[in-house]
Amino acid sequence: MSVTLSVIKADIGGYVGHSSSHPLILEKAEASLKKAKQGGTLIDYHVTRCGDDLQLIMTHNLGEDSEKIHKLAWDTFLECTQVARTLKLHGVGQDLLADSFSGNVKGMGPGVAEMQIEERAAETILIFMADKTASGAWNLPLYKIFADPFNTIGLVIAANMHSGFAFEIHDVKEHTKVILNSPEEIYDMLIFLGAPSRYCVKAVYHRESKSIAAVSSTQRLALIAGRYVGKDDPVCIVRCQGEFPAVGEVLEPFATPHIVEGWMRGSHHGPLMPVAVNQSNPSRFDGPPRVICAGFQLAGGKLIGPRDMFDDPAFDEARRQANEMAYYLRRHGPFEPHRLPLEEMEYTTMPQVMKKLTGRFSKI
Ligand code: F6R
Ligand code: MG
Ligand code: MG
């Protein structure tokens, strides 16, 4: 059976500040998607949030880029924005960059990850959602999951994974893409993946079956809007088990918090802390950045779950390490590498400061 899984997300208002989401927003979204399920547009849905980002997880038969599904998400965000406005939440409608819907939410602000799949006998899906970071945050974990035998032993000892995976890499500045094959092209691949503010893994495919293994959102809000509108706070869908990495192999990279961009004012590096959904409330210095993971089994398109995958004491040590890294980086205050390089900061006063100091710079 063919089914499409769409994850569409937006920050339509934070509670309190940018730290979390108000329960009434989730209720509103729930009501909107329930109606769409009753009306037959959706097979199933799950509404959740990561920090201040509202996440609509939907299954349906309409394929990727369906106008009907994108409009449903857009209208749901608008309804929730109304609630956010009444509650005077912070940054109301922050990610809705267009005035009206024009066929597809891509490029309009919300983040989108979709995959149309042939549902397997057991279809295990993990959905990662992050707050206070950008799409490139998935580069390192996706590389480890699908290309690193020190992380994924299946690449070595499972016959159905031994041929490796193909990575579709997007240049988010030039809007170009390239597909590179692991393992033989990993050295070429890493020159791009190691620069996550510019190059992002959009999708991963099984080399033999050509099946889609993972897909992420690669929007860059700042590039869409041409001004600061917050970090993308990306999502990523990963299929697991069988010819794909096991659930434990997919979760394993998050046991080591890696440093990502997007903390405080979208202008700082910080550790990506894996947490349970109810702990995705980035408060300390508006962070540190968080990642949650919802696990599902699909049954005829029905979302059996979620299991809150980071709600596991085995990730306590990663959280402790992330806190230690957070303390260490915070001690750098306004200095790089805690603060992002000049061209990557979402907030800057550089033009004003330079203007004020015109005439005071002299040749050396
Ligand atoms: C939001 C974020 C926050 C804000 C900061 C300032 O994703 O990362 O750190 O950038 O709280 O927010 P504004 O400009 O909305 O007052
Ligand atoms: Mg926000
Ligand atoms: Mg956010």
Side-chain angles (χ1 to χ4, degrees):
M1 172 201 169
S2 174
V3 62
T4 304
L5 177 60
S6 299
V7 183
I8 306 186
K9 50 87 35 187
D11 174 351
I12 49 89
Y15 165 69
V16 169
H18 292 275
S19 68
S20 193
S21 305
H22 195 281
L24 289 178
I25 300 285
L26 295 169
E27 247 174 55
K28 190 66 172 177
E30 181 81 30
S32 166
L33 297 194
K34 187 175 179 187
K35 213 165 95 197
K37 183 177 170 181
Q38 282 164 349
T41 306
L42 296 180
I43 302 173
D44 206 359
Y45 69 91
H46 175 68
V47 172
T48 188
R49 53 109 197 162
C50 181
D52 59 4
D53 291 282
L54 175 61
Q55 310 281 349
L56 310 179
I57 299 170
M58 301 170 284
T59 53
H60 54 91
N61 287 318
L62 301 172
E64 294 165 26
D65 289 319
S66 153
E67 180 164 349
K68 202 165 177 187
I69 297 300
H70 282 231
K71 180 148 183 7
L72 169 64
W74 183 260
D75 290 344
T76 303
F77 292 140
L78 286 183
E79 284 177 39
C80 293
T81 302
Q82 272 311 114
V83 180
R85 195 165 284 128
T86 318
L87 299 171
K88 288 188 73 178
L89 298 185
H90 185 69
V92 172
Q94 169 179 303
D95 286 355
L96 308 184
L97 302 178
D99 298 328
S100 58
F101 181 73
S102 58
N104 192 302
V105 293
K106 279 182 196 158
M108 298 176 71
V112 184
E114 295 183 289
M115 55 162 74
Q116 183 170 5
I117 56 173
E118 284 306 315
E119 190 179 289
R120 296 169 294 166
E123 186 62 60
T124 306
I125 301 273
L126 294 184
I127 300 174
F128 293 93
M129 296 156 267
D131 191 27
K132 309 292 179 253
T133 189
S135 348
W138 307 127
N139 285 9
L140 188 148
L142 287 174
Y143 177 79
K144 281 188 170 173
I145 294 164
F146 292 104
D148 179 5
F150 278 71
N151 180 88
T152 301
I153 184 60
L155 296 166
V156 182
I157 63 172
N160 53 5
M161 277 172 58
H162 203 69
S163 52
F165 290 87
F167 286 65
E168 180 181 323
I169 300 164
H170 285 199
D171 177 340
V172 294
K173 288 194 175 138
E174 291 297 323
H175 300 285
T176 55
K177 64 179 179 182
V178 62
I179 293 183
L180 294 173
N181 291 320
S182 163
E184 64 271 32
E185 291 183 303
I186 57 171
Y187 294 168
D188 292 339
M189 194 149 87
L190 285 169
I191 191 75
F192 300 111
L193 298 194
S197 58
R198 171 141 184 200
Y199 299 96
C200 303
V201 179
K202 176 65 190 175
V204 181
Y205 299 89
H206 192 280
R207 294 273 300 275
E208 262 171 21
S209 70
K210 312 288 181 214
S211 303
I212 180 99
V215 69
S216 75
S217 59
T218 51
Q219 284 71 20
R220 281 217 67 184
L221 289 178
L223 299 178
I224 296 170
R227 62 185 161 85
Y228 177 74
V229 284
K231 280 287 173 199
D232 313 276
D233 302 336
V235 294
C236 182
I237 307 172
V238 184
R239 296 172 84 185
C240 311
Q241 307 296 147
E243 64 174 356
F244 303 116
V247 164
E249 290 168 331
V250 175
L251 294 174
E252 182 62 11
F254 298 93
T256 300
H258 61 295
I259 292 179
V260 297
E261 60 173 63
W263 197 356
M264 183 50 87
R265 296 180 186 274
S267 304
H268 292 78
H269 283 119
L272 186 63
M273 183 190 271
V275 291
V277 177
N278 65 10
Q279 290 188 339
S280 67
N281 308 304
S283 320
R284 180 187 177 190
F285 198 57
D286 288 359
R290 304 295 153 109
V291 57
I292 60 168
C293 179
F296 297 94
Q297 292 293 143
L298 288 191
K302 288 247 164 20
L303 290 158
I304 310 304
R307 267 218 59 230
D308 190 345
M309 304 307 290
F310 290 134
D311 187 6
D312 176 352
F315 287 97
D316 284 351
E317 181 59 16
R319 293 187 268 269
R320 194 195 63 75
Q321 274 181 27
N323 273 324
E324 202 170 275
M325 293 159 75
Y327 270 95
Y328 178 73
L329 281 167
R330 281 300 302 126
R331 280 182 215 127
H332 292 74
F335 285 78
E336 296 181 17
H338 182 27
R339 201 182 79 179
L340 295 188
L342 286 175
E343 65 279 7
E344 289 298 333
M345 281 195 301
E346 304 282 6
Y347 276 66
T348 186
T349 48
M350 188 60 109
Q352 289 105 294
V353 172
M354 285 310 256
K355 195 168 165 212
K356 192 177 71 187
L357 298 181
T358 315
R360 286 176 58 187
F361 276 88
S362 56
K363 284 254 179 278
I364 41 176

